[in-house]
Every structure is written in structure tokens, then in C-alpha cells.
Amino acid sequence: MGSRKKQMADAIKEGKKQIAFAKLNNCPTSPRKMRLVADLVRGERVEKALNILKFSQKEASNRLEKLLLSAIANWQAKNEDASIEDAELFVKEIRVDGGSMLKRLRPAPQGRAHRIRKRSNHVTIVVAANNNTQS
């Protein structure tokens, strides 16, 4: 491997070390309800985001809080020597995508049927270290 190529590879590796992510697949909540909670913590610092999720009344906030703690643990596993307080972690990205749908039929008047769609979602949280930049 050439020296320039190795330097670029090392730079990319260091950049990836500063971010960590966690995924939650097939969460049985509609994506719209989950996005309401996800919008509250997008771009926030990790400590503030955890407080927002802890004291939120919404049911989706419990799942997001657990997922955020998982992302923080993943970041810690990558950076064993660094501390979370010094790194100033923040929620860099949070995506809520639609998942699979359970389709059910509910009886309706006059022999008809209405389709019930039980939606699920996929959530991805990306946590990054704030290195001398304001978010």
C-alpha cells in the first residue's frame, strides 16, 4: 500500500472512530408517532436528549431512550480510552423509516370489511463526538 493511500485509510478510520450507531428494527409503533419523539432529540447533546426522553409522556420515548443508551455504549466500545463527558457526544442523525405492515380485516356494516394496517418502523441513531465544533 502506498504512503498516501495508507494516510487516507488512517484518516478515514479515525473519522469512523468518532461516530457510533444503533438500530432498532420492526418496532411495533407507527412511524409517525415515533418521528414526533425523534424530532425532539435530533441534534441535541446526549445528556439533554436522555433527559428529554426520560420525562416524555409518549410511549415511543422509552424505546428511543434504550436505543440511545445502546448507541452510547457502542461509542464507548470503540473508544475505550476516552470519556463521554470529554467527548461531548451529540445525536448527529436519527432516522425513522417505515417497516413491515400487518394487514388485518375488521368487519364493517352490511357485509363489508375494512382493512386495518398495523404499522411498524425502523429507527437508526447516529451518535458523534463534538470535536471543537458547535452543534
Side-chain angles (χ1 to χ4, degrees):
M1 184 184 291
S3 64
R4 276 196 346 216
K5 195 171 183 181
K6 182 161 177 51
Q7 287 173 350
M8 275 303 287
D10 289 340
I12 291 171
K13 190 173 180 183
E14 278 301 313
K16 285 186 178 180
K17 202 172 184 184
Q18 294 302 316
I19 65 168
F21 69 95
K23 291 175 86 172
L24 173 64
N25 287 331
N26 295 320
C27 178
T29 309
S30 72
R32 185 177 181 179
K33 291 177 185 175
M34 189 64 86
R35 280 189 197 108
L36 287 172
V37 181
D39 290 341
L40 294 174
V41 297
R42 185 174 285 118
E44 296 288 344
R45 293 195 42 188
V46 166
E47 296 87 8
K48 187 175 179 184
L50 284 172
N51 283 333
I52 290 170
L53 293 173
K54 184 172 184 156
F55 294 109
S56 175
Q57 296 286 322
K58 304 241 178 234
E59 188 245 339
S61 65
N62 295 332
R63 293 188 173 117
L64 274 184
E65 181 184 8
K66 195 171 179 181
L67 186 64
L68 182 56
L69 288 171
S70 175
I72 294 167
N74 292 343
W75 186 88
Q76 256 184 331
K78 278 185 173 180
N79 305 286
E80 288 132 0
D81 53 339
S83 70
I84 295 174
E85 292 81 20
D86 295 340
E88 295 180 3
L89 292 180
F90 70 102
V91 180
K92 182 176 183 179
E93 183 181 344
I94 182 165
R95 271 194 324 272
V96 181
D97 302 319
S100 60
M101 228 182 291
L102 289 175
K103 294 178 179 166
R104 300 286 180 259
L105 292 177
R106 169 159 291 161
Q110 298 181 354
R112 290 190 292 262
H114 291 278
R115 182 168 285 169
I116 303 295
R117 293 178 302 212
K118 298 188 175 187
R119 300 170 189 270
S120 66
N121 64 56
H122 306 311
V123 185
T124 306
I125 290 186
V126 178
V127 173
N130 193 4
N131 293 339
N132 299 326
T133 59
Q134 295 297 322
S135 63

